[in-house]
Amino acid sequence: MADKDVEQTNERGYIPGPWWAGLGTWGAVALIVFGGLAGAWVFFRLPGTPEEPASAYYGVSKVIAIGLATVGCTLLGRRRARAAAIKETNEWDGERT
């Protein structure tokens, strides 16, 4: 097996994880909105809608679910960071008095 066949994890620019990992809050909200618009597109059977709408709804639901999970994790992470910062501030106040 040649070196080019082996995955190099220490290369510059290599980011392990799924494509949605770096979306952030606004990217996730945009993904949810895009999924909702795509769902409306399928519902009204506008041009480009597949013959079997179940497959389109499945794809739309995956996009919306990824957006919801990403925005939930992002907001939960922010909440935990704020709680840790408040706890650290309270510990500093307790040591000074």
Side-chain angles (χ1 to χ4, degrees):
M1 183 160 51
D3 287 337
K4 65 180 181 178
D5 296 334
V6 177
E7 182 180 355
Q8 299 291 326
T9 58
N10 60 354
E11 290 182 15
R12 188 175 205 170
Y14 176 76
I15 302 172
W19 59 268
W20 62 81
L23 282 178
T25 304
W26 291 112
V29 168
L31 203 61
I32 295 167
V33 169
F34 175 73
L37 291 173
W41 190 278
V42 172
F43 179 77
F44 291 117
R45 295 211 171 259
L46 296 174
T49 303
E51 289 292 321
E52 185 60 40
S55 63
Y57 285 129
Y58 176 70
V60 166
S61 66
K62 287 195 316 186
V63 169
I64 292 172
I66 290 171
L68 288 172
T70 305
V71 79
C73 291
T74 304
L75 294 176
L76 184 61
R78 286 184 183 179
R79 182 177 178 201
R80 287 182 179 167
R82 284 183 186 161
I86 289 171
K87 183 178 179 182
E88 183 176 311
T89 303
N90 289 342
E91 288 176 0
W92 278 97
D93 290 342
E95 291 178 9
R96 290 182 184 166
T97 56

